[in-house]
Amino acid sequence: MPSSQSELFPLAGLPEWLPNELLFSLGSRYHLYSANSKSSATCNQLFGAPRAGYQHDFPCRIEEFARRSGYSIGSAIEIIREHTILPFYLPFRPVSDQELAISTMQGNTVQSLKYRLGILTSRFRANHPLKACTECIEADKKEHHIAYWHLDHQYPGVWTCPTHRIPLLESLVKSNGVGRFLWYLPSEDILTSALTFHTHDLVSQSLIEMGALSEIVLAYSCLPAGFNFDAQRLLETYHEGLENHDLKKNNGQLNLTKIGHSYFQAMSFLRATNLVIGFPENVHLAEVQMNRLLRSPRSGTHPLRHLLIVKWLFQDWSDFMSTYSKSKGQMKEVKFEFPATVSAETLPLIDIRHDQFLSLLKTEKLSITKAAARVEIDTTTGMVWATKAGFAISRRPKVLKEEIRKNLIADLRIGLDKQTASKKYSISIQTITTTLRTEVGLHHFWQLAQHTNRLIKNRAEWGALLNGNPNNGVKTIRALAPAIYAWLYRNDRDWLRERTSNQVSAICGNNSSVDWDKRDQFLANEVQRIALAIYGLNGSRKLNLWEIYQKLPELKAKLQSLNRLPLTRRSIEFVTLGVSKKANFDDGLF
C-alpha cells in the first residue's frame, strides 16, 4: 500500500472485497465506514470527482479508483470484470465492442454506454434495479457484520437467489432515479418484492423455472474474460437444438408455427409474473421474434434473449456449450474454473499469455520488450496489452519523432481521422493505429471526439435540409439523405424527434406495432392500483409522481408520450392532487 493511501482515505481505510461483492457495494460500505455526511465526498475520495462512481450498474472512472487504491484490490480491468455487471453484456458482442465498453468505464463518462450495448433499444428494462436476498442479508450480517450487494444477484434474468432458492427483493432506490447520487446498502426499508404473480396456481412451477434460468445466467457469467461467441456457430448450435425438438421441416427449413408455439409455451413461467416486458405477448409475436433471431446472426441482441433460447432448446448450460463446441470450427481445451454445470471441454481457448505478460510487468518490473519475449508475443502486441492495463509506455522514436508525436496525439484527441492524419504528417495509417492503441486513453478519446464531430456535422446537415424543405414531410426529406437520418436515428434520436416534430407529416420511428390504446389502459389501471395500495398504507395525502413510477418503472419512460396516453394522464393527475383514500376510481373519472 503506498504512503499516499492515508491522504486518499483520511477517515477510514478502504475495505477489502467481500465474497462476490458489487463495486457499488464496496463504495457504499466505504461511505458508511468513513462517516462522510455527503455522498459527493465519498465520490471525490474514491473516484476523484463529486459525480463519479455512484452508478450501481455501470460506474465510470474505474481507472482512477484503482489508482487511488494503489491497485491493492485489483486493476481497473479486474474490477470491471469481477465486480460489475458489464461482463454480462460482452460475450455476444465483437471484441472491439468489448474493448470499447471496458475503456469507457475506465474513463470519465459512461453517458452513451447503454445505448452502444443495445440495452436502451432492447425493450428490456435498462435501469438494472439492485436486488438482494433476505436470507443472504441475515447470513452476511452474522458472518461479515454487515449486509452487502451480491454481484450474482444483479445480473438480468436472475430473479431467485442461487444459494437459498427464494425470490429476490428489488430496491426502491437508485434504478428509478430516487437517491440517484447516493450510496446504499441492503435494508428492509428500501427493498420490496420484485415478483408479482398473476396466475397463483403457477407460482411453484414459475419459481422452479426462474431458478433454472438463474443457473444458466450464472454459468454464462463465468465465461473467460474476452470470450466471444461466433455468430455463425451460435446459429448452427440453435438449429441443432431446433432439430432435437423436431422444430424443423424435412427440407431443413424452420417450422415457424411450431417454433412460435413451443417458445411461447416455454415462456409461460414469465407470463405468470409481472416480468413480461420485452417478451412476446402472443404466439404470432413469438414467431416473428424467433424468425428474426434464428435466421441470421445478430450481435446486438440483448444477452437475455439468447439465454432464454438456451433454456428453451437445451435446458442446461453444459449441454448448450457442448453442442456449441462441436459446431464447425476448431475448438481447443481451456483451463478455467466455473460452476459444476459447465465442463472444461465446452469452452474455447483464451490466450493465457495475457495475464502472464501483465504479471511480469507488475511483479518482476520487466520492460515491455523483455516481458513480450518471455511469453513469446510480438512487442507491439505487448504495448497494446500494457496500454489497456494502464501501464505508461516509454518510447524510443524512430519514424515518429517526439514533436510530431505530440502534435499527432493532439489532433487525434479532437477526432482527426486516420487518412487525414496520414497525409498531414506523412506517416502510415498503421503508425497512427499503433499510436492510438499504445497511448493510454487516446483511443477512447479519439472515438468520443469522432462521434461528437459526426454528431455536429449530421445535425447541421439535417437542420439545413429541414430549413430548405419547409413544405415537405420527413419521409421526403429522409430520402434526400438516408444515411444522415439513419445515423441520427441510431445515435441522437431525441434531438431528431424534437427537430422533426413540427415538420409536415412528421413521423419519427415505426410505431405501427404498438397498441397505444392497450398500453394506455394498462398503465392507467396500474397507476390507480398503485395509488390505492399507497393510500392503504399511508392514509389520505397527496402523492408524488416519483412514488408511482418507483413502483411502475415503465411509466417513467412514457412520461414524454402522455399526449398519446390520455387515460394514463388523467389517472396521474387525479392521484397526485391529494385524493381521499375513499375515492372511487370507478366513478367515471377515467
Side-chain angles (χ1 to χ4, degrees):
M1 190 73 66
S3 60
S4 61
Q5 178 72 5
S6 60
E7 298 173 3
L8 293 173
F9 304 101
L11 300 180
L14 185 65
E16 295 291 329
W17 291 112
L18 293 176
N20 184 41
E21 185 171 24
L22 188 70
L23 173 58
F24 174 77
S25 177
L26 183 77
S28 297
R29 287 197 296 126
Y30 173 79
H31 181 70
L32 176 66
Y33 297 152
S34 65
N36 285 330
S37 59
K38 294 184 177 180
S39 61
S40 58
T42 297
C43 292
N44 264 323
Q45 290 171 352
L46 296 182
F47 299 93
R51 284 287 183 264
Y54 63 85
Q55 302 95 332
H56 63 286
D57 48 6
F58 299 129
C60 62
R61 293 179 68 88
I62 307 299
E63 181 60 43
E64 178 66 15
F65 171 76
R67 186 189 70 79
R68 285 173 169 255
S69 67
Y71 300 97
S72 61
I73 59 173
S75 67
I77 293 178
E78 289 172 339
I79 292 170
I80 291 170
R81 287 197 175 278
E82 297 173 15
H83 299 283
T84 75
I85 66 169
L86 177 66
F88 175 86
Y89 289 97
L90 301 184
F92 291 103
R93 304 197 70 84
V95 173
S96 59
D97 287 0
Q98 296 187 28
E99 294 174 346
L100 178 58
I102 292 173
S103 175
T104 298
M105 286 181 63
Q106 289 178 274
N108 293 330
T109 178
V110 289
Q111 186 174 4
S112 60
L113 181 58
K114 287 186 179 181
Y115 179 81
R116 293 204 305 269
L117 291 175
I119 301 173
L120 297 181
T121 56
S122 67
R123 293 193 65 202
F124 289 116
R125 291 182 182 178
N127 54 0
H128 301 116
L130 286 163
K131 293 173 286 186
C133 165
T134 53
E135 294 192 22
C136 284
I137 289 175
E138 293 305 314
D140 292 339
K141 287 180 178 178
K142 291 179 181 178
E143 184 173 355
H144 305 291
H145 309 292
I146 193 169
Y148 66 96
W149 302 108
H150 291 230
L151 175 63
D152 59 10
H153 291 163
Q154 313 310 322
Y155 295 121
V158 176
W159 291 299
T160 61
C161 175
T163 302
H164 300 104
R165 309 293 181 180
I166 62 174
L168 295 172
L169 299 182
E170 187 175 291
S171 172
L172 294 170
V173 298
K174 295 295 288 185
S175 61
N176 52 19
V178 179
R180 175 185 176 189
F181 301 112
L182 304 182
W183 300 94
Y184 294 93
L185 289 169
S187 62
E188 291 184 3
D189 59 324
I190 64 166
L191 294 172
T192 187
S193 175
L195 293 176
T196 300
F197 290 93
H198 304 314
T199 309
H200 291 284
D201 58 339
L202 294 178
V203 170
S204 297
Q205 184 60 33
S206 292
L207 288 176
I208 293 173
E209 296 291 340
M210 287 179 175
L213 177 61
S214 296
E215 290 181 359
I216 289 175
V217 173
L218 295 176
Y220 159 78
S221 71
C222 291
L223 288 171
F227 180 87
N228 171 248
F229 280 107
D230 178 82
Q232 289 291 347
R233 292 177 60 194
L234 188 65
L235 197 62
E236 293 173 16
T237 303
Y238 289 163
H239 278 242
E240 183 166 341
L242 292 172
E243 290 179 359
N244 293 337
H245 284 265
D246 192 27
L247 295 174
K248 297 182 73 172
K249 299 177 182 178
N250 293 334
N251 59 4
Q253 293 182 347
L254 299 178
N255 190 331
L256 283 178
T257 301
K258 293 180 67 174
I259 287 173
H261 278 86
S262 177
Y263 182 73
F264 188 71
Q265 183 62 34
M267 295 302 105
S268 61
F269 74 98
L270 289 172
R271 297 198 310 277
T273 73
N274 58 320
L275 304 171
V276 294
I277 296 177
F279 301 105
E281 299 176 359
N282 52 54
V283 172
H284 172 67
L285 291 178
E287 291 179 21
V288 172
Q289 189 176 108
M290 290 300 102
N291 185 37
R292 184 173 66 252
L293 293 175
L294 298 173
R295 283 189 181 275
S296 60
R298 298 175 63 87
S299 62
T301 302
H302 194 289
L304 194 51
R305 295 200 189 279
H306 287 290
L307 298 177
L308 286 167
I309 292 177
V310 170
K311 183 182 182 305
W312 165 46
L313 295 178
F314 299 93
Q315 297 296 318
D316 183 83
W317 180 255
S318 60
D319 288 344
F320 162 71
M321 286 302 291
S322 177
T323 305
Y324 178 82
S325 69
K326 296 172 184 175
S327 58
K328 293 181 180 179
Q330 294 294 320
M331 292 293 293
K332 296 182 180 179
E333 184 175 316
V334 60
K335 295 180 180 179
F336 185 75
E337 294 183 2
F338 34 77
T341 53
V342 188
S343 67
E345 289 74 17
T346 64
L347 297 173
L349 177 66
I350 57 173
D351 198 336
I352 61 174
R353 296 176 298 178
H354 178 272
D355 290 341
Q356 295 173 347
F357 171 77
L358 295 181
S359 178
L360 291 173
L361 295 182
K362 188 174 182 179
T363 59
E364 298 189 25
K365 308 299 182 183
L366 294 184
S367 68
I368 289 177
T369 302
K370 290 182 179 179
R374 181 83 65 85
V375 299
E376 299 181 349
I377 61 172
D378 184 81
T379 302
T380 301
T381 300
M383 293 172 68
V384 173
W385 285 358
T387 301
K388 290 179 181 178
F391 288 91
I393 298 175
S394 58
R395 308 172 190 277
R396 285 174 283 183
K398 297 177 182 177
V399 176
L400 195 58
K401 303 301 181 182
E402 186 60 29
E403 187 63 29
I404 296 177
R405 179 180 179 80
K406 287 182 179 179
N407 294 333
L408 173 62
I409 289 175
D411 280 341
L412 292 175
R413 277 184 172 272
I414 61 174
L416 187 67
D417 65 89
K418 293 182 182 181
Q419 290 75 14
T420 304
S422 175
K423 293 178 182 179
K424 180 177 180 178
Y425 294 103
S426 300
I427 55 178
S428 68
I429 289 179
Q430 180 59 47
T431 300
I432 296 171
T433 300
T434 301
T435 303
L436 283 169
R437 299 175 68 194
T438 57
E439 183 70 24
V440 176
L442 181 59
H443 191 259
H444 170 70
F445 287 116
W446 179 72
Q447 288 184 313
L448 288 179
Q450 285 244 306
H451 179 85
T452 301
N453 293 343
R454 190 170 183 183
L455 179 72
I456 295 171
K457 177 177 178 293
N458 285 344
R459 278 186 174 185
E461 293 185 7
W462 183 254
L465 285 171
L466 292 179
N467 294 333
N469 298 273
N471 298 319
N472 291 331
V474 174
K475 185 174 182 180
T476 301
I477 301 173
R478 176 180 175 179
L480 300 175
I484 292 176
Y485 181 91
W487 191 92
L488 288 170
Y489 186 81
R490 290 193 302 268
N491 298 278
D492 199 18
R493 193 174 304 182
D494 289 341
W495 181 89
L496 181 64
R497 284 175 172 165
E498 181 182 351
R499 292 290 282 114
T500 58
S501 60
N502 296 323
Q503 201 74 16
V504 177
S505 302
I507 299 177
C508 200
N510 178 14
N511 297 314
S512 59
S513 63
V514 177
D515 188 336
W516 286 95
D517 290 339
K518 182 178 179 181
R519 175 179 290 177
D520 191 18
Q521 186 64 59
F522 168 76
L523 290 175
N525 290 340
E526 286 297 290
V527 169
Q528 298 165 25
R529 180 185 63 78
I530 290 169
L532 281 173
I534 296 176
Y535 289 142
L537 291 175
N538 301 304
S540 176
R541 66 173 178 82
K542 180 180 178 180
L543 288 184
N544 295 304
L545 180 58
W546 65 264
E547 291 181 278
I548 299 173
Y549 67 67
Q550 185 182 64
K551 301 283 188 180
L552 187 64
E554 55 265 44
L555 175 64
K556 187 175 182 181
K558 305 298 184 296
L559 292 179
Q560 294 183 342
S561 303
L562 289 180
N563 60 315
R564 307 188 71 172
L565 303 166
L567 297 179
T568 304
R569 177 192 288 274
R570 292 178 66 185
S571 293
I572 292 173
E573 291 173 349
F574 187 72
V575 302
T576 56
L577 291 177
V579 185
S580 167
K581 64 181 179 181
K582 296 181 180 179
N584 181 4
F585 289 101
D586 295 321
D587 61 2
L589 284 172
F590 306 102

